[in-house]
């Protein structure tokens, strides 16, 4: 059996395909890329009982992860970056994701640049520093950025994009698209409602 049955990356918008052995980010049309696996091949070779002999962690399901081998670097994204020879990573965040990537990157020998607002928990910021990550400067709180009122995570994204452009990571001709799934992009039909909080001994009364 193969360690991973990853096949290729593909664009759900224009259907263009990309190799998983090369550094790719967005599709040329601007859409995020998805991962395809050789499911028919995996189905014919995989035995469910094989899971019983594995440790109960993320790598238990390595056949359906896009890396060819695990060196124990933890997060899949960081592991794939290491596999492709990436030396540095950058990401905007408002909390735990930045701390996690900082620690994973340190373990993998990758330099991490984390954009995090001042409103993020102090312990999370300290975790990034403890992992020797570059905590990006000029991070404001809820404030106006480029004439738009944005949330803390959005502020981090704008700040990170500006600094990365100054450092040459982003070309002047590149367009930066910031998506926040919490804003309803991923869940457009979400319901806004106040959930009642019951006190001890109180019962739910249905109308």
């Amino acid at each position: 059996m193969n360690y991973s049955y990853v096949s290729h990356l593909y664009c759900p918008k224009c259907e263009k395909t990309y190799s998983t052995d090369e550094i790719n980010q967005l599709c040329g049309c601007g859409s995020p890329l998805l991962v395809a696996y050789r499911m028919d091949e995996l189905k014919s070779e995989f035995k469910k009982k094989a899971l019983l002999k594995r440790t109960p962690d993320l790598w238990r399901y390595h056949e359906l992860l896009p890396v060819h081998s695990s060196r124990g670097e933890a997060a899949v994204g960081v592991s794939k970056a290491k596999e492709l020879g990436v030396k540095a990573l950058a990401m905007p965040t408002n909390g735990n994701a930045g701390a996690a990537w900082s620690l994973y990157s340190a373990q993998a020998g990758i330099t991490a640049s984390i954009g995090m607002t001042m409103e993020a928990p102090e312990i999370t910021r300290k975790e990034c520093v403890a992992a020797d990550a570059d905590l990006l400067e000029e991070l404001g709180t809820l404030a106006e950025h480029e004439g738009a009122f944005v949330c803390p995570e959005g502020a981090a994204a704008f700040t990170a994009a500006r600094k990365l452009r100054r450092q040459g990571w982003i070309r002047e001709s590149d367009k930066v698209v910031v998506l926040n799934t919490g804003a309803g992009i991923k869940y457009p039909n979400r319901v806004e409602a106040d959930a009642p909080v019951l006190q001890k001994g109180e019962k739910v009364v249905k109308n």
Side-chain angles (χ1 to χ4, degrees):
M1 286 184 62
N2 296 311
Y3 186 84
S4 172
Y5 285 77
V6 63
S7 174
H8 59 276
L9 301 177
Y10 68 95
C11 174
K13 184 176 180 181
C14 71
E15 300 184 353
K16 185 176 180 179
T17 61
Y18 296 82
S19 170
T20 60
D21 295 324
E22 300 173 351
I23 298 176
N24 293 292
Q25 298 188 37
L26 298 178
C27 175
C29 72
S31 172
L33 298 175
L34 302 181
V35 186
Y37 293 88
R38 305 189 304 275
M39 298 303 293
D40 290 338
E41 185 179 340
L42 174 60
K43 183 178 180 180
S44 65
E45 297 181 2
F46 182 75
K47 306 299 180 185
K48 292 182 180 180
K49 61 182 180 182
L51 290 177
L52 299 177
K53 301 178 182 179
R54 300 179 183 178
T55 55
D57 58 23
L58 175 69
W59 301 105
R60 180 183 214 179
Y61 310 101
H62 56 74
E63 287 88 354
L64 291 175
L65 295 177
V67 291
H68 296 295
S69 65
S70 166
R71 302 178 183 86
E73 298 90 22
V76 175
V78 174
S79 295
K80 188 61 182 181
K82 183 177 179 69
E83 186 174 274
L84 293 174
V86 172
K87 302 299 182 183
L89 295 171
M91 73 172 300
T93 178
N94 193 37
N96 293 335
W101 271 55
S102 296
L103 295 168
Y104 296 156
S105 295
Q107 189 175 1
I110 295 175
T111 300
S113 295
I114 308 298
M116 188 179 296
T117 71
M118 295 298 295
E119 290 188 353
E122 183 180 4
I123 187 172
T124 307
R125 295 172 59 80
K126 287 182 176 179
E127 287 173 333
C128 294
V129 175
D132 201 28
D134 175 20
L135 206 56
L136 299 185
E137 304 168 354
E138 306 171 8
L139 299 184
T141 57
L142 285 172
E144 286 191 12
H145 284 259
E146 304 294 342
F149 191 74
V150 296
C151 66
E153 188 167 303
F158 280 107
T159 301
R162 282 200 297 268
K163 183 164 185 177
L164 293 174
R165 177 162 284 167
R166 289 198 300 267
Q167 294 179 346
W169 287 52
I170 303 173
R171 296 170 299 184
E172 287 297 328
S173 59
D174 289 341
K175 292 183 179 180
V176 179
V177 179
V178 179
L179 299 179
N180 187 334
T181 56
I185 296 173
K186 186 174 183 180
Y187 307 106
N189 297 321
R190 72 190 191 283
V191 176
E192 304 254 351
D194 293 326
V197 178
L198 299 180
Q199 302 302 318
K200 186 176 181 180
E202 193 175 358
K203 296 182 179 180
V204 178
V205 178
K206 294 183 178 181
N207 296 326

